[in-house]
Amino acid sequence: HHRVDVTYALGQNEAGGKVGWGEMVALDAPAAGTYRVMLGVHAWLDVVHDGKALDSVHHQHGPACSGIGKMVDFSLPAGRSVIQLSGSGKPEAEVMVISIP
């Protein structure tokens, strides 16, 4: 692995957010609604839509022994958003997104 600088869609607002690994993942929501973003690592998480960070509506840790480090719910508009991860201690991260009824 080699280190590269990540240019985020939106500047990080968390102190120490530039320490560690980071990545961005495009998310195309088929319809407006609540979506749960689950991470396999502990990292700072932002979801950006049209250049603005969206406020989370709920967050919790994953179940013990599940491999899920963090779960954060967002109310997303339909269309393209960007998931930004930063401050992770690992160079790779598993990200899963599901729709919440």
Side-chain angles (χ1 to χ4, degrees), residues 36-85:
R36 177 166 292 163
V37 180
M38 292 173 277
L39 304 180
V41 296
H42 291 283
W44 183 254
L45 165 66
D46 287 299
V47 175
V48 180
H49 186 86
D50 282 342
K52 295 177 183 167
L54 303 177
D55 291 331
S56 63
V57 294
H58 181 74
H59 60 88
Q60 63 194 54
H61 294 292
C65 302
S66 68
I68 299 172
K70 186 176 197 176
M71 300 189 294
V72 185
D73 296 354
F74 293 89
S75 180
L76 300 182
R80 170 70 52 99
S81 294
V82 177
I83 299 170
Q84 294 185 172
L85 304 181

